[in-house]
Amino acid sequence: MSGNIELLNTTLAAAKAADRAALIAYLPAGFPTVDGGIEAVKAVVAGGADVVEVGLPHSDPVLDGPVIQTADDIALRGGVRIADVMRTVREAYEATGVPILVMTYWNPIDRYGVERFTAELAEAGGAGCILPDLPVQESALWREHADKHGLATVFVVAPSSQDARLATITAAGSGFVYAASLMGVTGTRASVGAQAQDLVGRTRATTGLPVCVGLGVSNAAQAAEVAGFADGVIVGSAFVKAMLDAPDEAAGLAAVRSLAGELAEGVRKR
C-alpha cells in the first residue's frame, strides 16, 4: 500500500488556492492515553486543522520544550509503543481523511528498522515523516524507502541555516519544509518574531515546496500573522497545554477543538 504524500500535496495546494495558509496541528501519540490521543486528533480536525502531525514520544525530545516533554513522559509511562503510533495514524486517518504525518527523532526509526517503519506507516495511511534531527547528508536510506512507499520527508530549517545549506535541505525534502521560527525549543511565546518571515523568504528562494512555520504560535492573532507570509502554520504546544490544563479528558477534547477553531479562523485572516 502506498502512503498519502499526494493527499498532503493536494491539501496544501487547496489551502493556497483558497488564498490562506494551512493549519497543521501537532499532538503526541499515547497522550493522555492511546485512545485519548486518537480522539484528540479527531477533535483538532473537527475544529479546523488541515493536517495533523502525530508525535512519536521520546525520552529526550531535543526540539521540544517542557510542555511537550511532559506529555511525552505521560505517554511513555503509559507504555506507548511504535505500534500504538501506527494505530493512532491509522484510526485518525480513517476517521478524518486528512493527511497524518509522524514527527519523530531518528533513533526510534533506526532501532525499529527503516523498511519496517516506512512500510507500516504507509499501510496505516500515513502521509510522511518530519525528522528534526536526521542530517540530510545521512538521509539517503530513509528517503529511498520513503519514496518507495509514497511518504513525504519533511526536514526542519532554522534561522541559523545559511542559504547554501537551505538549498541542500530543501532539494532533499518533499511535502513541505518545516521552518522553525526561532532558535530554541517548542513552546508558546508572546511573539513569533521577524526571524520567521526572513527564513521563509530565504527558504522559498531555494524551493517550490510549501514552507510551513512552527515554534511559538499559540493564538489566532499569531496564526494570522504567520499566515501572512507562510504556507502553513504549525501549532503544537498550545494544543498539548490545553489538554494538560483540562480537568478531565472530555474537557481537554473540547478545549483543543475550540482552539483549533480559533486558529483556523486566524489563518483565514492573513
Side-chain angles (χ1 to χ4, degrees), residues 39-134:
E39 292 304 313
V41 175
K42 295 178 188 178
V44 295
V45 173
D50 299 290
V51 178
V52 178
E53 302 173 11
V54 170
L56 194 161
H58 195 276
S59 57
D60 185 26
V62 293
L63 184 69
D64 296 308
V67 170
I68 291 175
Q69 286 186 26
T70 298
D72 278 6
D73 185 54
I74 291 168
L76 291 167
R77 284 191 281 114
V80 72
R81 296 289 182 266
I82 288 179
D84 300 309
V85 177
M86 297 299 179
R87 181 188 151 211
T88 300
V89 172
R90 176 180 293 103
E91 294 191 16
Y93 169 63
E94 290 175 350
T96 66
V98 305
I100 311 285
L101 298 103
V102 169
M103 182 161 183
T104 178
Y105 298 97
W106 180 245
N107 187 50
I109 294 178
D110 193 37
R111 291 186 63 184
Y112 198 71
V114 175
E115 169 59 23
R116 181 184 176 195
F117 190 95
T118 51
E120 289 184 8
L121 182 57
E123 191 275 330
C129 260
I130 300 161
L131 300 160
D133 68 339
L134 176 63

Side-chain angles (χ1 to χ4, degrees), residues 1-252:
M1 179 175 173
S2 181
N4 271 315
I5 185 173
E6 285 307 316
L7 176 63
L8 176 64
N9 292 341
T10 57
T11 298
L12 294 173
K16 183 175 183 178
D19 193 32
R20 68 173 179 87
L23 174 60
I24 303 175
Y26 166 93
L27 290 161
F31 168 73
T33 61
V34 176
D35 288 342
I38 293 167
E39 292 304 313
V41 175
K42 295 178 188 178
V44 295
V45 173
D50 299 290
V51 178
V52 178
E53 302 173 11
V54 170
L56 194 161
H58 195 276
S59 57
D60 185 26
V62 293
L63 184 69
D64 296 308
V67 170
I68 291 175
Q69 286 186 26
T70 298
D72 278 6
D73 185 54
I74 291 168
L76 291 167
R77 284 191 281 114
V80 72
R81 296 289 182 266
I82 288 179
D84 300 309
V85 177
M86 297 299 179
R87 181 188 151 211
T88 300
V89 172
R90 176 180 293 103
E91 294 191 16
Y93 169 63
E94 290 175 350
T96 66
V98 305
I100 311 285
L101 298 103
V102 169
M103 182 161 183
T104 178
Y105 298 97
W106 180 245
N107 187 50
I109 294 178
D110 193 37
R111 291 186 63 184
Y112 198 71
V114 175
E115 169 59 23
R116 181 184 176 195
F117 190 95
T118 51
E120 289 184 8
L121 182 57
E123 191 275 330
C129 260
I130 300 161
L131 300 160
D133 68 339
L134 176 63
V136 171
Q137 62 270 24
E138 297 174 21
S139 68
L141 178 65
W142 164 266
R143 288 186 285 125
E144 175 192 340
H145 288 288
D147 290 347
K148 181 171 78 171
H149 290 291
L151 298 169
T153 297
V154 179
F155 289 113
V156 178
V157 298
S160 60
S161 302
Q162 299 298 312
D163 292 350
R165 178 69 176 162
L166 287 175
T168 300
I169 294 170
T170 58
S174 55
F176 64 92
V177 182
Y178 186 127
S181 65
L182 36 74
M183 302 304 294
V185 297
T186 59
T188 61
R189 290 175 172 82
S191 171
V192 179
Q195 280 184 316
Q197 188 165 1
D198 174 70
L199 176 59
V200 169
R202 292 193 298 117
T203 304
R204 278 194 178 138
T206 72
T207 184
L209 290 172
V211 183
C212 304
V213 171
L215 274 67
V217 177
S218 61
N219 58 50
Q222 290 174 334
E225 177 192 353
V226 173
F229 58 80
D231 298 297
V233 179
I234 303 169
V235 181
S237 294
F239 284 121
V240 176
K241 187 174 188 301
M243 294 282 287
L244 285 169
D245 290 348
D248 55 50
E249 188 175 305

